[in-house]
Amino acid sequence: MAEPAEKPPAVARRRPRRAGGPAPAAKTPAPAGQDWSSWPTYNDATLGFRDFWYPVQWARRIGSKPMPITLLGEKIVLIRDGDTVRALHDRCPHRGVPLSLGRREFEGSISCAYHGWTFDLKDGRLGAVLTDGPESPICGKISVRTYPVRERLGLVWVYIGDGDPPPVERDIPAELTENAFVMGGRTDVRKGNWRFAAENGFDEGHAKYLHNTALWRLFKVMPAWNMTRVIESGSWLIRVQDEVHWEADYPGYGTWSNKRWWKRMPLPDHPGKSADVNPVIKKMNIPGFVSIRLPGLLRVAYPHFIHYEWYVPVDADHVRYVQIMVRFEDGPKAAVFKAKYLSWIRWLFHGQFTGQDAWMVDVMDAPPEKLYRPDLSLTAWRRHIEKSDLKVQHARGRLER
Amino acid sequence: MAEPAEKPPAVARRRPRRAGGPAPAAKTPAPAGQDWSSWPTYNDATLGFRDFWYPVQWARRIGSKPMPITLLGEKIVLIRDGDTVRALHDRCPHRGVPLSLGRREFEGSISCAYHGWTFDLKDGRLGAVLTDGPESPICGKISVRTYPVRERLGLVWVYIGDGDPPPVERDIPAELTENAFVMGGRTDVRKGNWRFAAENGFDEGHAKYLHNTALWRLFKVMPAWNMTRVIESGSWLIRVQDEVHWEADYPGYGTWSNKRWWKRMPLPDHPGKSADVNPVIKKMNIPGFVSIRLPGLLRVAYPHFIHYEWYVPVDADHVRYVQIMVRFEDGPKAAVFKAKYLSWIRWLFHGQFTGQDAWMVDVMDAPPEKLYRPDLSLTAWRRHIEKSDLKVQHARGRLER
Amino acid sequence: MAEPAEKPPAVARRRPRRAGGPAPAAKTPAPAGQDWSSWPTYNDATLGFRDFWYPVQWARRIGSKPMPITLLGEKIVLIRDGDTVRALHDRCPHRGVPLSLGRREFEGSISCAYHGWTFDLKDGRLGAVLTDGPESPICGKISVRTYPVRERLGLVWVYIGDGDPPPVERDIPAELTENAFVMGGRTDVRKGNWRFAAENGFDEGHAKYLHNTALWRLFKVMPAWNMTRVIESGSWLIRVQDEVHWEADYPGYGTWSNKRWWKRMPLPDHPGKSADVNPVIKKMNIPGFVSIRLPGLLRVAYPHFIHYEWYVPVDADHVRYVQIMVRFEDGPKAAVFKAKYLSWIRWLFHGQFTGQDAWMVDVMDAPPEKLYRPDLSLTAWRRHIEKSDLKVQHARGRLER
């Protein structure tokens, strides 16, 4: 991980104010974002961005039986070919039958279930046409599109883009390639567009309220409200808390509190500052708990473990959540973490807690929208996208498929 | 109720002819109505009319738990706030999450489940933003739309319209505000557009045939066919029967009869003329059994009770039936009626009988249509709408919601 | 059946080549067919062709209870009227209620469930209007469309076309009108457009591969690949096999074989050439196993029986398969065949085997397409349609229904 030199430049900054003092004359960012037209690239990115590696499935689930997936609106079939996982466009060019319905007649190839057109898994080349004899003139003249594939972190990564792909490590957080760790994880396809999922993840405000009913919150406290900046650090945007409030009085309504008598508060400024902190996380020295980066990866750092969450576009109305929880340990501590993950973190955090997020992502319906102060995390993310020179994925026309 | 002075002017009139005489050279009204373009307001009124009070739910069912409904295509949340029922647009302006998913943190308000935006139930004003502190600058600068609400007849009434609403009594039949009565009722959302439901209700012809298989018809006879006029009386259109026929011979086919040997026939001209009649109904002196008025309320008068049926537009393909059966009595007679309602009227009439109507409203598919003589009730209703200076409800655009 | 004089002219011909010799410099027909624009009539024929008789249901299933069907996109109600089956447009012209929901009040007519409009089954004329009296002025002035109907082969045939229909025998294979036979059959509505079903039937290539997993293939062998011509003979297109290969080596892949050790191979050139052949089939002298004719009838001839399969357009996304298996015998041999049909042919062939076809027809998604040599059967069929002066069926507009 690229450590921030010192104080990184603010991307979206809100002047801290004295506690209890008068509210600053801050203009809410709402009107500008009313209809997303201020963010034309983002507005257009219903299917996500090309030229990135995306994690799509657990590597151990891909065997010699073809598995169909949809990624950024493209139909893809994943197959294990010896030690290697291959990805091909899931459509026989002959009559449009999905190759994922096909059979494995010969090693290194798949044969379409309909007429036995046999494609090499490596390059998608039509190598044999079983129902037209060995001298079929179409042989070698047709190919199906293939996709670069890698296996990292126990996941299969597929590259959607043009030209030679960059190393997959470019799209994996550096701390996960440079340190030993143990992890647990979960993937599901959930309803809603990927942008709502990403915004929900980096959203400053909702966790304090929506998740109050989650069991996970018995163990992890959150403030009632706070003053926040978003800074840019390497490829990450990071939410930094300048003020933290655990409860507040709302005149005419009452007191609303997020204090928990059985937990210690307040939290330190950032996970690395905690008294008892994992050495790797300490060294990372992230100046806030929550970070996001392109093409849609959230990182939530705790003193002893880090949660990562990828929002992988499936189609306009579905998003694949790939969640992992990482602990930088080996030996007995790693085994204990693994047991904890399987016995409750998986259900409480990767299940109920982020399931509440998925619920909101499903029912959310914007634009129109009216943004408020904590949404500077959203506008920082949208502005970051606008200035990042990204290539938007578009649905392919009928004849190009 | 405004009593007709004497013979009210005919809105749609058909010359009575001598029984058994030759058929008049009447032109069927069919061609004109072929495609509804003759009734442009009606044709446009897929979602109903603004500036009316609509009954939407039993008042006893609305508690402190938010209840979402759809009315004239608008999403609305109903909540009881102390003694008062409130209606708000069911959409948080922040990111479009339905307020009906929210929580009741403080009395007199509802907090959006997502970020705790807290709206006053009375006026929809954003009064507190729990995740942005007491001095959130957006506070008080945003509101959600509210709707006027009243409770009458045990029902919640919501006003869809602009400006100050008229008294809800304007849209309730006068006999129900001026007399004591006992009632039973039933509401359901059924398939089909509200106009088909209203036309089906006022339709002269179908009850004689469609409902022949309903058990209710064991108790209530109907003619085989008749000659009808539609008159206007106050805010009502009323079907008046000039001739009543209990059976007929169709040459080449056979006899078709609606006589029932266990019932007395013919019926008197109108419910008030019956020998044994309730005094209130007698005084109402309605010159026919079936009446309709805007924005879609049917009244079917019997000598001892009256059935009312509201066709409340939900969306283009659904209509809310609000049915009540009223007896103008108190004391023991009222208790007997209530028992009769619950033991069989509710099932036979408000269930099976009007369920046959709902079946037709669902399968009906017009225009095109070919109208026949008894459809003068439909064309009278459509003409009444065209001349009534009504404001059609249109679906709101995405950014206006 | 019109016997081919001698060598019939080739419709789509591929020069046979010496076995084992170099592949001919054949151009694959693919590019031309990329998007079906080369076949404008075919491209347009989503709902099939008018001016043909179509088999739609088993005659024994049509009783006095109305049965609704959809044929070439038209809603039709079938009713038995005494000995005769009648077909009417399944829509009352009054308000669009399906007549198939109606009642049989009088012999020879059906009464719409809604208002008792009573239509003569013979000619669709509105003969009585039960809720408007015997002198209803609309009587006799309105009709619903009727369709010519015949019963042949135990099936009900409906004519979709304009003007007087030709004899139904024009659209039934001559061998089925000139000989005694016994048959068994099956009809289902399946997913997919009728053109995919017809192409799948006449498709040279797929049976050799797709159906390898069907139990039927334990009894009936098929080549691994072959060289084929399509000839025209009377109203039929016939696939003729010039070369037959039972297995082949694919360099770099392996051997792929359709040999079965328990079956004798190769097959004779055509069913009539078999040593042990039914006399009627021998006399038919069809020069290939598989034939197709307009508007979508497949014939697969074996030495002892013939399978016929009609692809009857339902709507754009559904097709009715009418399958019969015919044996030209009577007496005990006929009884044995009937028992065999009911005990296993019905399940193995008309069920599992053609169910695999239905699966492909459902998942197929073309154009775009890339055709290969065996697809000359498809292009011959499409060319045959282009030159046949056919009248395409189009969906009727709202007001014409």
Side-chain angles (χ1 to χ4, degrees):
Chain A
M1 156 167 176
E3 279 186 36
E6 36 196 319
K7 193 81 174 175
V11 167
R13 169 180 273 278
R14 205 164 81 192
R15 211 160 29 117
R17 59 182 180 79
R18 284 161 300 142
K27 264 183 64 185
T28 62
Q34 179 68 19
D35 66 357
W36 291 17
S37 61
S38 321
W39 302 288
T41 305
Y42 195 63
N43 193 40
D44 198 28
T46 307
L47 292 176
F49 300 112
R50 296 179 67 80
D51 301 336
F52 285 97
W53 289 96
Y54 291 95
V56 295
Q57 192 47 275
W58 299 110
R60 66 171 186 277
R61 293 214 188 143
I62 309 301
S64 64
K65 193 178 166 215
M67 176 185 284
I69 64 162
T70 305
L71 179 60
L72 279 67
E74 306 203 11
K75 302 277 180 191
I76 294 175
V77 53
L78 300 175
I79 312 174
R80 189 169 292 279
D81 174 24
D83 286 343
T84 312
V85 176
R86 309 290 189 185
L88 291 83
H89 183 36
D90 191 14
R91 184 182 188 279
C92 180
H94 180 207
R95 310 295 315 275
V97 167
L99 287 178
S100 53
L101 302 174
R103 301 182 213 148
R104 305 291 305 269
E105 296 286 349
F106 308 108
E107 200 162 329
S109 68
I110 187 164
S111 301
C112 176
Y114 200 12
H115 298 85
W117 286 32
T118 300
F119 298 92
D120 290 356
L121 295 176
K122 196 176 169 183
D123 55 11
R125 186 181 148 274
L126 179 64
V129 181
L130 303 185
T131 53
D132 194 29
E135 285 151 11
S136 174
I138 205 170
C139 223
K141 292 189 187 139
I142 278 184
S143 293
V144 298
R145 201 185 314 142
T146 57
Y147 299 82
V149 182
R150 298 289 182 277
E151 291 183 56
R152 293 290 186 283
L153 314 179
L155 288 158
V156 171
W157 299 71
V158 173
Y159 185 74
I160 298 279
D162 309 299
D164 288 333
V168 65
E169 284 72 20
R170 187 203 67 179
D171 291 338
I172 296 178
E175 65 268 23
L176 296 178
T177 62
E178 297 167 358
N179 300 287
F181 59 88
V182 60
M183 61 174 263
R186 188 164 174 160
T187 77
D188 333 67
V189 172
R190 297 177 177 178
K191 283 192 205 162
N193 187 264
W194 77 274
R195 288 170 300 186
F196 290 147
E199 292 186 345
N200 176 82
F202 197 50
D203 172 350
E204 172 67 35
H206 83 272
K208 305 171 175 65
Y209 190 73
L210 172 70
H211 295 306
N212 268 3
T213 55
L215 290 170
W216 181 254
R217 290 290 299 279
L218 294 173
F219 307 97
K220 305 290 160 195
V221 290
M222 287 185 186
W225 67 281
N226 46 31
M227 298 298 283
T228 304
R229 279 173 300 136
V230 173
I231 60 156
E232 195 166 333
S233 169
S235 52
W236 294 97
L237 299 184
I238 305 176
R239 284 190 346 225
V240 177
Q241 298 175 349
D242 288 316
E243 277 180 35
V244 176
H245 301 266
W246 296 97
E247 71 179 15
D249 287 314
Y250 292 86
Y253 296 89
T255 299
W256 191 72
S257 173
N258 263 346
K259 285 184 179 167
R260 304 288 181 262
W261 59 262
W262 62 91
K263 295 293 291 184
R264 197 161 40 93
M265 280 148 295
L267 291 172
D269 272 13
H270 62 81
K273 273 198 181 173
S274 188
D276 175 23
V277 61
N278 173 285
V280 174
I281 295 173
K282 187 175 183 67
K283 191 177 155 225
M284 284 168 69
N285 194 31
I286 321 169
F289 290 91
V290 180
S291 320
I292 196 168
R293 57 181 271 187
L294 286 166
L297 164 59
L298 193 79
R299 179 177 68 187
V300 183
Y302 293 86
H304 290 286
F305 45 82
I306 304 185
H307 163 75
Y308 298 87
E309 189 170 301
W310 283 265
Y311 314 108
V312 182
V314 173
D315 56 28
D317 301 315
H318 294 85
V319 53
R320 185 182 299 269
Y321 279 66
V322 177
Q323 307 177 71
I324 63 172
M325 184 76 97
V326 167
R327 178 145 194 172
F328 297 97
E329 303 281 0
D330 49 18
K333 277 192 180 168
V336 167
F337 174 79
K338 192 84 189 177
K340 276 167 73 171
Y341 180 80
L342 291 175
S343 58
W344 59 272
I345 297 175
R346 179 176 173 80
W347 314 109
L348 291 197
F349 189 50
H350 286 175
Q352 190 204 24
F353 187 95
T354 68
Q356 292 181 328
D357 293 318
W359 176 42
M360 287 296 114
V361 169
D362 182 18
V363 301
M364 213 184 303
D365 178 28
E369 63 190 7
K370 296 278 184 197
L371 301 185
Y372 75 141
R373 282 197 303 193
D375 286 331
L376 55 75
S377 57
L378 269 57
T379 48
W381 164 244
R382 292 175 186 176
R383 269 199 306 272
H384 181 66
I385 281 169
E386 292 305 322
K387 71 174 193 186
S388 293
D389 192 26
L390 296 168
K391 188 167 174 193
V392 169
Q393 166 86 345
H394 288 113
R396 305 200 172 215
R398 239 187 119 60
L399 291 184
E400 291 169 287
R401 278 178 310 180
Chain B
M1 165 178 165
E3 280 186 33
E6 38 195 319
K7 194 78 174 179
V11 167
R13 170 180 271 278
R14 204 164 83 193
R15 210 163 28 120
R17 61 182 179 77
R18 285 161 299 144
K27 263 184 66 186
T28 63
Q34 180 69 18
D35 65 356
W36 291 17
S37 61
S38 322
W39 302 286
T41 304
Y42 195 65
N43 193 40
D44 198 27
T46 307
L47 292 176
F49 301 111
R50 295 178 69 78
D51 301 336
F52 285 97
W53 289 95
Y54 291 94
V56 295
Q57 192 46 275
W58 299 109
R60 67 171 184 276
R61 293 213 190 145
I62 309 302
S64 65
K65 192 178 166 215
M67 176 186 283
I69 64 161
T70 305
L71 179 60
L72 278 68
E74 305 203 12
K75 303 277 182 191
I76 294 174
V77 54
L78 301 175
I79 312 174
R80 188 170 293 279
D81 174 24
D83 286 344
T84 313
V85 176
R86 307 291 189 186
L88 290 82
H89 183 36
D90 191 13
R91 184 181 188 280
C92 181
H94 180 208
R95 311 295 315 276
V97 166
L99 288 177
S100 52
L101 303 175
R103 302 181 212 149
R104 305 290 304 269
E105 296 286 350
F106 309 108
E107 200 162 327
S109 67
I110 186 163
S111 302
C112 175
Y114 200 13
H115 297 84
W117 286 32
T118 300
F119 298 92
D120 289 356
L121 295 176
K122 196 177 169 184
D123 55 11
R125 186 181 148 272
L126 179 64
V129 181
L130 303 186
T131 53
D132 195 28
E135 285 151 9
S136 174
I138 205 169
C139 223
K141 293 191 187 137
I142 279 186
S143 295
V144 299
R145 200 186 313 142
T146 57
Y147 300 83
V149 182
R150 299 289 183 276
E151 291 183 55
R152 292 290 187 282
L153 314 179
L155 288 159
V156 171
W157 299 71
V158 174
Y159 185 74
I160 299 278
D162 310 298
D164 288 333
V168 64
E169 284 72 19
R170 187 203 67 181
D171 290 337
I172 296 177
E175 65 268 24
L176 296 178
T177 63
E178 297 166 359
N179 300 285
F181 59 87
V182 59
M183 61 173 262
R186 189 165 175 158
T187 78
D188 335 66
V189 172
R190 297 177 176 178
K191 283 192 206 163
N193 188 263
W194 77 276
R195 289 170 299 187
F196 290 148
E199 292 186 344
N200 176 81
F202 196 51
D203 172 352
E204 172 67 35
H206 82 273
K208 304 170 176 68
Y209 189 73
L210 172 69
H211 295 308
N212 268 3
T213 56
L215 290 170
W216 180 254
R217 290 290 299 280
L218 295 173
F219 307 96
K220 304 291 160 195
V221 290
M222 286 185 186
W225 67 282
N226 46 31
M227 298 299 281
T228 304
R229 278 172 301 135
V230 173
I231 60 157
E232 197 167 331
S233 169
S235 53
W236 295 98
L237 299 184
I238 306 175
R239 283 189 348 222
V240 177
Q241 297 175 351
D242 288 315
E243 278 181 35
V244 176
H245 301 265
W246 297 96
E247 71 177 20
D249 287 315
Y250 292 87
Y253 296 89
T255 299
W256 190 73
S257 173
N258 263 348
K259 285 185 179 166
R260 302 289 180 263
W261 59 262
W262 62 91
K263 295 293 290 185
R264 197 160 41 93
M265 280 150 293
L267 291 172
D269 272 15
H270 63 80
K273 271 197 182 173
S274 187
D276 174 24
V277 61
N278 172 285
V280 174
I281 295 173
K282 186 175 186 68
K283 189 176 157 229
M284 285 169 68
N285 194 31
I286 321 169
F289 290 92
V290 180
S291 320
I292 197 169
R293 57 180 271 187
L294 287 166
L297 163 60
L298 193 78
R299 180 177 68 188
V300 183
Y302 293 86
H304 290 286
F305 45 81
I306 303 185
H307 163 75
Y308 297 88
E309 189 169 300
W310 282 265
Y311 313 109
V312 181
V314 173
D315 57 26
D317 301 315
H318 294 85
V319 53
R320 187 182 299 268
Y321 279 67
V322 177
Q323 307 177 71
I324 62 171
M325 184 75 96
V326 167
R327 178 144 195 175
F328 297 97
E329 304 280 0
D330 49 19
K333 276 192 179 167
V336 167
F337 174 78
K338 193 83 189 178
K340 275 167 72 171
Y341 180 80
L342 290 175
S343 57
W344 59 272
I345 297 175
R346 179 177 173 81
W347 313 110
L348 291 197
F349 189 50
H350 286 175
Q352 189 203 24
F353 187 95
T354 69
Q356 292 181 329
D357 293 317
W359 176 41
M360 287 296 115
V361 169
D362 182 18
V363 300
M364 214 184 303
D365 178 28
E369 63 190 8
K370 296 279 185 195
L371 302 185
Y372 75 141
R373 284 196 303 192
D375 286 331
L376 54 77
S377 56
L378 269 57
T379 48
W381 164 245
R382 293 175 186 176
R383 270 199 303 272
H384 181 65
I385 282 170
E386 292 305 321
K387 72 175 191 184
S388 293
D389 191 26
L390 296 168
K391 188 166 172 194
V392 170
Q393 166 86 343
H394 288 114
R396 304 198 173 218
R398 239 185 119 62
L399 292 183
E400 291 169 287
R401 279 177 309 179
Chain C
M1 160 174 169
E3 280 187 35
E6 40 195 316
K7 194 78 172 177
V11 166
R13 170 180 272 277
R14 203 164 83 195
R15 210 162 30 122
R17 60 180 180 80
R18 283 162 300 143
K27 263 182 65 183
T28 62
Q34 180 70 17
D35 65 357
W36 291 18
S37 61
S38 324
W39 302 287
T41 304
Y42 195 64
N43 193 41
D44 198 28
T46 307
L47 292 177
F49 300 111
R50 295 179 67 78
D51 301 337
F52 285 97
W53 288 95
Y54 291 94
V56 294
Q57 192 45 278
W58 299 110
R60 65 171 185 277
R61 293 213 189 145
I62 309 301
S64 64
K65 191 176 166 219
M67 176 185 283
I69 64 162
T70 305
L71 179 60
L72 278 67
E74 305 203 12
K75 302 276 180 193
I76 295 175
V77 52
L78 300 176
I79 312 174
R80 188 169 292 279
D81 175 25
D83 287 344
T84 312
V85 175
R86 307 291 188 187
L88 290 83
H89 183 37
D90 191 14
R91 183 182 188 280
C92 180
H94 180 207
R95 310 294 317 275
V97 167
L99 288 177
S100 53
L101 303 174
R103 302 182 212 147
R104 306 291 304 269
E105 296 286 350
F106 309 108
E107 199 163 328
S109 68
I110 186 163
S111 302
C112 176
Y114 200 13
H115 297 85
W117 286 32
T118 300
F119 298 91
D120 290 356
L121 295 177
K122 195 176 170 185
D123 54 12
R125 187 181 147 273
L126 179 63
V129 181
L130 303 185
T131 53
D132 195 28
E135 284 150 11
S136 174
I138 206 171
C139 222
K141 292 188 187 140
I142 277 185
S143 294
V144 298
R145 201 186 312 142
T146 58
Y147 299 82
V149 182
R150 301 288 183 276
E151 291 184 55
R152 294 288 188 283
L153 315 179
L155 289 158
V156 170
W157 299 70
V158 173
Y159 185 75
I160 299 278
D162 310 298
D164 288 333
V168 65
E169 284 72 19
R170 187 205 66 179
D171 290 337
I172 296 177
E175 65 268 23
L176 296 178
T177 61
E178 297 166 358
N179 299 286
F181 59 86
V182 60
M183 63 174 261
R186 188 165 175 159
T187 78
D188 333 67
V189 171
R190 297 177 176 177
K191 283 191 204 161
N193 188 263
W194 77 274
R195 288 170 300 187
F196 290 148
E199 291 186 344
N200 175 81
F202 196 51
D203 171 351
E204 172 67 35
H206 84 273
K208 304 171 175 67
Y209 190 72
L210 171 71
H211 295 307
N212 268 3
T213 54
L215 290 171
W216 180 254
R217 290 289 301 278
L218 294 173
F219 306 97
K220 304 292 160 194
V221 290
M222 287 184 187
W225 67 281
N226 46 31
M227 298 298 281
T228 304
R229 278 172 300 136
V230 172
I231 60 157
E232 195 166 333
S233 169
S235 53
W236 294 97
L237 298 184
I238 306 176
R239 283 191 346 225
V240 177
Q241 298 176 348
D242 287 317
E243 279 181 32
V244 176
H245 301 267
W246 297 94
E247 70 177 19
D249 288 316
Y250 292 87
Y253 297 89
T255 299
W256 191 73
S257 172
N258 263 347
K259 285 184 179 168
R260 302 289 181 263
W261 58 261
W262 63 91
K263 294 293 292 184
R264 197 161 40 94
M265 280 150 294
L267 291 172
D269 272 14
H270 62 80
K273 272 198 180 173
S274 187
D276 174 23
V277 61
N278 172 285
V280 174
I281 295 172
K282 185 174 185 69
K283 191 176 156 228
M284 284 168 68
N285 194 31
I286 321 169
F289 289 92
V290 180
S291 319
I292 197 170
R293 58 181 269 187
L294 287 166
L297 164 60
L298 193 79
R299 179 177 67 188
V300 183
Y302 293 86
H304 289 286
F305 46 81
I306 303 185
H307 163 75
Y308 298 88
E309 189 169 302
W310 283 265
Y311 313 108
V312 181
V314 173
D315 57 27
D317 301 316
H318 294 86
V319 53
R320 187 182 298 270
Y321 279 66
V322 177
Q323 308 177 69
I324 62 172
M325 185 75 97
V326 168
R327 178 143 195 176
F328 297 97
E329 302 281 359
D330 50 19
K333 277 192 179 167
V336 167
F337 173 79
K338 192 85 189 177
K340 275 167 73 171
Y341 180 81
L342 290 175
S343 58
W344 59 272
I345 296 176
R346 178 177 174 80
W347 314 109
L348 291 197
F349 189 51
H350 286 175
Q352 189 204 25
F353 186 95
T354 69
Q356 292 181 328
D357 293 317
W359 176 42
M360 287 296 115
V361 169
D362 182 18
V363 300
M364 214 185 302
D365 180 27
E369 62 188 11
K370 296 278 184 195
L371 302 185
Y372 77 140
R373 283 197 301 193
D375 286 331
L376 56 75
S377 56
L378 269 57
T379 47
W381 163 245
R382 293 174 185 176
R383 270 200 304 273
H384 182 65
I385 282 170
E386 293 305 323
K387 71 174 194 187
S388 291
D389 192 25
L390 295 169
K391 188 166 173 193
V392 170
Q393 166 86 344
H394 288 113
R396 304 198 173 219
R398 239 187 120 58
L399 292 184
E400 292 170 287
R401 277 178 312 180

